[in-house]
Structures are given as structure tokens and as C-alpha cells.
């Protein structure tokens, strides 16, 4: 599957879909990072742009495909890994800001 995806990447329609998917993922992650910042749960050494960049880099389809194809990870295994990784990278573990009136992004 990775080889097919790489081969198709040169096609203009596929490249456009890939670019749109990247932008949609960045927008979705922006909402999550803004929520963490709003409730004071974003790691203090990260600004929102850096947090979005970190999350965007590890949540792309290329990494998912490598985990699934090369490592034989299930969707659940990848989701668990990504969740733990993002929590470690973005969340300020020294605070518990879950009790808040702010609503998480949908």
C-alpha cells in the first residue's frame, strides 16, 4: 500500500487531496491545541503554533501507513500510541485542568 501511495502522489488530483487532508488535519488539531491552551493544560514551554506542528507531524497518513504496513499495527494499536504520544508531547502533566467549564472541540 505504501508503494501505491507513493506512486500516486505525483498525480495532481491525489496531490490536491493530500494537501486538503493536511490542511483539514491542521485545522482540527488547532482546535484541540487551543482548547488545551484555554484550560491551561498545554505544556508551558510550547506555544500553540509549535504544539500544532508537533501534533500535525505525527498524525499524518504516512506514519499511520508505515505503522500498519511495516509494523503490522492494528488501527487500535496506532490510535493508542498516537494518543499516548500526543498526551506526552502536548499536555502539561503537572496540572490537572480537566475540571473546567470550557467545552472540548467536537
Amino acid at each position: 500500500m505504501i508503494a501505491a501511495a507513493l506512486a500516486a502522489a505525483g498525480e495532481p488530483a491525489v496531490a490536491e487531496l493530500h494537501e486538503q487532508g493536511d490542511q483539514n488535519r491542521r485545522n482540527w488539531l488547532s482546535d484541540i491545541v487551543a482548547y488545551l491552551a484555554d484550560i491551561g493544560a498545554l505544556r508551558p514551554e510550547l506555544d500553540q503554533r509549535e504544539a500544532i506542528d508537533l501534533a500535525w507531524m505525527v498524525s499524518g497518513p504516512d506514519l499511520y501507513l508505515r505503522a500498519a504496513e511495516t509494523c503490522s499495527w492494528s488501527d487500535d494499536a496506532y490510535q493508542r500510541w498516537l494518543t499516548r504520544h500526543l498526551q506526552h508531547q502536548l499536555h502539561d502533566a503537572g496540572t490537572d485542568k480537566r475540571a473546567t467549564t470550557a467545552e472540548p472541540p467536537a
Side-chain angles (χ1 to χ4, degrees):
M1 182 180 283
I2 293 172
L6 291 174
E11 296 292 324
V14 173
E16 185 178 334
L17 284 174
H18 182 74
E19 186 176 319
Q20 184 61 50
D22 279 350
Q23 187 59 52
N24 289 344
R25 193 171 78 253
R26 186 172 278 284
N27 292 341
W28 176 73
L29 292 165
S30 296
D31 291 343
I32 293 170
V33 168
Y35 172 72
L36 290 173
D38 287 347
I39 66 170
L42 189 63
R43 291 177 74 120
E45 69 272 16
L46 293 176
D47 62 32
Q48 288 190 36
R49 177 163 176 92
E50 185 178 13
I52 294 164
D53 290 346
L54 288 170
W56 179 82
M57 285 188 285
V58 299
S59 64
D62 49 339
L63 189 58
Y64 165 76
L65 287 173
R66 291 192 185 281
E69 294 284 317
T70 305
C71 302
S72 300
W73 283 16
S74 67
D75 290 347
D76 288 341
Y78 176 78
Q79 182 179 4
R80 284 190 306 272
W81 171 83
L82 183 59
T83 300
R84 284 191 312 267
H85 185 73
L86 290 175
Q87 286 172 339
H88 176 75
Q89 292 293 314
L90 304 178
H91 184 255
D92 183 7
T95 61
D96 185 358
K97 304 291 184 178
R98 288 176 285 179
T100 181
T101 58
E103 290 292 323

